[in-house]
Amino acid sequence: MSMSTNQKKFLQKERRNKIFVILMQILIVVIFLISWEVLANKKILNPFIFSSPSRIILTIKNLFLEGSLITHILTTLYEIVLAFFIGIASGFLIAILLYEVKTLAKILDPFLTMLNSLPKVALGPIIIIWAGANTKAIIVMALLINLIVSIVNIYNGFLGTDEIKIKLLQSFGATKGQILRYLVIPGSKRTIISSLKLNISMTLIGVIMGEFLVSKKGIGYLIIYGTQVFNLNVVMAGIVILIILSFIIYEGVSLLEKRLLQEKN
Amino acid sequence: MNSILEIENLEKNYYTKQGEIKAIDNISLKIKEGEIITIVGTSGCGKSSLLGILANIEDKTNGKIKYQKDKPTIGYMLQNDALFPWLTIFDNAILGLKIAKKDTSENKEYVKKLLKTYNLEEFINKYPNELSGGMRQRVALIRTLALKPDILLLDEPFSALDYQSRLAVSADVFKIIKRENITTILVSHDVGEAVSLSNKVVVLSKRPCKIKKIYDIDLPYDNPIDNRNTKEFNELYNKIWKDLDVYVN
């Protein structure tokens, strides 16, 4: 089918707009980095406190060459992946339990609300004592943050199941398990997938917070270590790596979300 | 007994914090095989509770429900088509069979035959959102017919449709029901629908619902839309409308 001139104009405008937005985004980053570098070199910004892009790159390069960078990244990644999957899987199972046993949901409701509103970092010191100053404490910290969100999100998705469809399955003589398998879980696919994204953000917060508190490896450790020895280049390098890592992970989960939602439904 | 279903002194109470609510009060009714009965009543009078009890998904408070068969198969259609958007038309149509663990190849063939008979064959692998409202209702009906029900319960199945589609779709669905010769109980608050589609109309009072009157219907045409233009239709319509005692404050 041939395209009308107006349609072509519309598409061109859309494309131009998109390119403009991307160019502006790049420009902001470039201006920011150049100003930072120049201001630090002219000593208007104290490079000892503020570091500078070139110093950060040099630090990252050195960390890479001495071999510790990869270890830090892999440690953090390992903790993120572990906490993410445990969080999602247990969140899913607990949500099913709450959905099936409504009285349990009612009993636990105030405790879930309390845990949800509590700043979990306050529990950090206790977690270190209980779980030990090791990876376990970091995973527990991350789980404390991502689990409640997953449970509440998935459970609310389950509660949104169409009553009419439940009645229909009951009229077929469906068991509770069949209602879950054929209706509640597939019907909540969208909510479950969107809770993956929320869960990954929470996991990142939890893991870094955990690494701040107890760790000898990982990006959170790198940042805290840099602060303790007052080497702001290391701190900034840690933050930059964290930004890149978070961006990649978040985009990965977004891509997964898109793929899963694109399937015919 | 030539009744496929006998309801005797049925009562249903709901218990809430605010108190006890009587929804159904002493209803007795005999339904003959092959009959199409419509139960009409004002909104919230307890019609849907009655069907819920007959479908075995709600408990009764008192009374007896006697089916001719020991374990009758009951087909239930609700306020909307309730098709599952993530399943294909065929998988939707065999959902009841799957749940009841009756999805044998023979029964699946029967479903395919039904889909073919009712012009849905080419949509077998499509999804519900690719079908029109009328087609979706037909799939919902086939999903129910797949279980070869002894009795079909329809709870305002057309209420989600606009008026024009409602007329066309209800005519379409009832053509199929008559062709398959299934005893049917339809619940509706639409008097026109009741008169044009059924052999018998049971008028219920306001809550708690009791049987107010029963009308035998014998309209000249097979097509419900044609029946709507007859004198008999208008007379019955007016009588039942008066019985319902609907007024606006």
Side-chain angles (χ1 to χ4, degrees), chain A residues 14-29:
Chain A
E14 283 289 296
R15 207 174 308 133
R16 243 182 275 141
N17 226 337
K18 200 176 164 188
I19 293 169
F20 176 74
V21 169
I22 295 172
L23 280 178
M24 286 313 283
Q25 286 166 338
I26 295 171
L27 196 68
I28 288 172
V29 176

Side-chain angles (χ1 to χ4, degrees), chain A residues 10 16 23 82 108 125 127 153 157 186 223 236 262:
Chain A
F10 170 77
R16 243 182 275 141
L23 280 178
L82 201 63
L108 294 183
I127 293 168
N153 225 21
I223 295 168
M236 290 295 188
Q262 247 170 22

Side-chain angles (χ1 to χ4, degrees), chain B residues 80-112:
Chain B
N80 61 44
D81 54 57
L83 295 181
F84 290 13
W86 55 89
L87 294 181
T88 62
I89 294 309
F90 183 68
D91 286 336
N92 263 298
I94 61 162
L95 185 65
L97 289 173
K98 256 191 173 166
I99 300 277
K101 298 206 164 64
K102 287 181 184 167
D103 50 338
T104 58
S105 52
E106 191 187 330
N107 284 339
K108 282 185 186 166
E109 273 312 307
Y110 175 62
V111 171
K112 271 187 192 159

Side-chain angles (χ1 to χ4, degrees), chain B residues 12-239:
Chain B
K12 170 76 182 173
N13 295 350
Y14 287 104
Y15 304 96
T16 67
K17 277 185 197 163
Q18 284 72 35
E20 192 173 336
I21 299 164
K22 193 176 253 321
I24 298 172
D25 187 13
N26 200 21
I27 283 189
S28 297
L29 193 64
K30 285 182 182 175
I31 289 132
K32 288 184 200 142
E33 198 162 353
E35 240 178 356
I36 298 177
I37 289 192
T38 303
I39 297 172
V40 287
T42 47
S43 297
C45 80
K47 311 180 293 270
S48 293
S49 304
L50 177 62
L51 273 206
I53 294 169
L54 295 180
N56 224 357
I57 58 172
E58 267 192 64
D59 295 325
K60 59 183 188 301
T61 309
N62 276 313
K64 278 184 187 163
I65 308 269
K66 285 195 278 186
Y67 281 99
Q68 196 178 35
K69 270 191 179 174
D70 271 349
K71 280 186 181 167
T73 307
I74 295 162
Y76 194 27
M77 267 178 88
L78 297 121
Q79 281 95 340
N80 61 44
D81 54 57
L83 295 181
F84 290 13
W86 55 89
L87 294 181
T88 62
I89 294 309
F90 183 68
D91 286 336
N92 263 298
I94 61 162
L95 185 65
L97 289 173
K98 256 191 173 166
I99 300 277
K101 298 206 164 64
K102 287 181 184 167
D103 50 338
T104 58
S105 52
E106 191 187 330
N107 284 339
K108 282 185 186 166
E109 273 312 307
Y110 175 62
V111 171
K112 271 187 192 159
K113 209 181 95 191
L114 283 173
L115 288 167
K116 192 177 171 186
T117 310
Y118 299 113
N119 303 323
L120 289 162
E121 198 187 16
E122 58 180 302
F123 299 98
I124 270 183
N125 295 317
K126 296 255 190 296
Y127 286 82
N129 62 1
E130 296 169 88
L131 267 64
S132 71
M135 287 171 161
R136 292 170 62 115
Q137 283 289 356
R138 241 184 285 159
V139 177
L141 181 64
I142 290 169
R143 177 180 60 195
T144 314
L145 295 179
L147 290 157
K148 298 181 182 149
D150 299 300
I151 191 160
L152 194 57
L153 308 174
L154 310 179
D155 189 358
E156 310 209 21
F158 316 115
S159 57
L161 302 172
D162 63 82
Y163 185 68
Q164 300 294 335
S165 325
R166 195 178 167 138
L167 287 183
V169 173
S170 60
D172 186 35
V173 165
F174 273 77
K175 202 165 79 189
I176 300 173
I177 289 173
K178 277 184 185 155
R179 199 166 149 180
E180 304 288 331
N181 193 30
I182 300 169
T183 314
T184 301
I185 304 178
L186 166 73
V187 150
S188 178
H189 60 258
D190 183 333
V191 178
E193 199 169 88
V195 176
S196 66
L197 297 173
S198 38
N199 313 121
K200 202 183 257 180
V201 174
V202 177
V203 184
L204 297 182
S205 65
K206 285 178 191 158
R207 178 171 271 188
C209 70
K210 288 181 181 178
I211 294 181
K212 208 170 182 181
K213 237 173 200 175
I214 298 179
Y215 290 90
D216 284 311
I217 314 278
D218 190 17
L219 295 179
Y221 303 109
D222 271 345
N223 185 343
I225 297 176
D226 295 336
N227 278 332
R228 283 179 182 258
N229 296 319
T230 61
K231 203 176 110 204
E232 295 95 317
F233 173 88
N234 284 327
E235 280 172 9
L236 281 163
Y237 184 97
N238 290 331
K239 273 188 200 169

Side-chain angles (χ1 to χ4, degrees), chain A residues 214-250:
Chain A
V214 276
S215 68
K216 295 196 171 56
K217 278 183 282 183
I219 298 162
Y221 165 77
L222 199 65
I223 295 168
I224 278 291
Y225 168 79
T227 319
Q228 281 162 354
V229 298
F230 223 82
N231 184 345
L232 269 296
N233 292 335
V234 171
V235 176
M236 290 295 188
I239 291 171
V240 168
I241 293 163
L242 191 60
I243 289 171
I244 295 168
L245 197 67
S246 316
F247 182 76
I248 293 170
I249 292 173
Y250 193 78

